[in-house]
Amino acid sequence: CTGIASSLEQSVFSPEGAELMLPSKSETTTFARHEFCNYPQFLKKASLTLGLCRVLPSTEHYCNLCTSILPINVLSFGKPIIKQKSNAICCVQIPIVGGLLAKVNPHSADHGCLSFTWHQEKNNITLVTEIAGNYQPALAGSRIPVPCWRNMLYSSTQRLLHEYVMWRFHGSVLKEFEKQCLNDP
């Protein structure tokens, strides 16, 4: 593991006002699972990627994030895995299994994953996303320690794009949840 691809994003949502009614725990779990498991589909939003990416089903993996113009597989994702965490309403991990941006070690089964966790304490909801496991960006290469120029290349490109996408994903999930709270009788 290179250590340069660690990432942890956290958003807190505290609904205010009498018109917002939080759904039951089981409804919230269902909502969070649906949103987290559909993260790859979120990536194909034209407003997010300017139409430059598409998500295609894969016979070898769960799905591939590809470029729209050329058939380049940017990232391959495995099937989402539902995890149990004692302090979370929902936790989903989506394995990263290949693609141009991922360096895959053929001697390891763990190539890293995107982890999505939903915590809820009374009216405070915390959405946490992170790159977990042994994800190694291809831009970092295979030398450890990572050469300074590769670290700068990754940090000024792929890492920034990941942070932007996760910021948008958090906003999208919390906006959908707020709609659900407003529509819940």
Side-chain angles (χ1 to χ4, degrees):
C1 184
T2 62
I4 70 166
S6 61
S7 172
L8 179 76
E9 296 83 26
Q10 184 171 308
S11 296
V12 178
F13 175 65
S14 300
E16 295 179 13
E19 70 277 359
L20 282 179
M21 189 70 161
L22 289 178
S24 69
K25 183 177 177 181
S26 66
E27 290 172 322
T28 301
T29 301
T30 301
F31 169 83
R33 264 191 200 156
H34 176 267
E35 293 295 316
F36 295 164
C37 289
N38 284 310
Y39 172 77
Q41 300 309 314
F42 170 79
L43 295 174
K44 69 180 183 182
K45 284 186 169 185
S47 64
L48 178 71
T49 64
L50 305 175
L52 297 175
C53 292
R54 58 190 170 143
V55 177
L56 301 173
S58 170
T59 54
E60 187 179 350
H61 310 294
Y62 179 65
C63 65
N64 296 322
L65 176 65
C66 300
T67 58
S68 293
I69 300 166
L70 300 172
I72 298 171
N73 179 12
V74 179
L75 281 174
S76 294
F77 297 107
K79 187 175 180 180
I81 301 164
I82 309 298
K83 294 285 192 175
Q84 298 296 322
K85 278 192 174 179
S86 61
N87 62 344
I89 291 218
C90 179
C91 180
V92 173
Q93 291 184 340
I94 301 178
I96 299 168
V97 294
L100 182 68
L101 295 179
K103 181 155 178 39
V104 176
N105 179 350
H107 305 293
S108 172
D110 178 10
H111 308 299
C113 68
L114 295 173
S115 179
F116 305 85
T117 308
W118 184 284
H119 300 277
Q120 188 168 329
E121 195 173 301
K122 295 184 182 173
N123 278 0
N124 290 326
I125 296 157
T126 305
L127 173 58
V128 179
T129 56
E130 66 180 308
I131 296 174
N134 291 322
Y135 175 68
Q136 185 173 352
L139 291 174
S142 52
R143 283 189 38 213
I144 296 178
V146 175
C148 188
W149 72 272
R150 282 190 175 268
N151 190 344
M152 287 175 34
L153 177 66
Y154 170 77
S155 294
S156 61
T157 56
Q158 188 178 344
R159 188 193 67 147
L160 293 177
L161 187 60
H162 171 78
E163 289 173 359
Y164 170 74
V165 169
M166 283 303 174
W167 173 70
R168 293 282 306 270
F169 180 70
H170 282 227
S172 174
V173 169
L174 295 176
K175 184 177 179 181
E176 286 301 312
F177 188 68
E178 188 172 33
K179 280 187 210 173
Q180 182 175 336
C181 290
L182 288 170
N183 294 332
D184 201 13

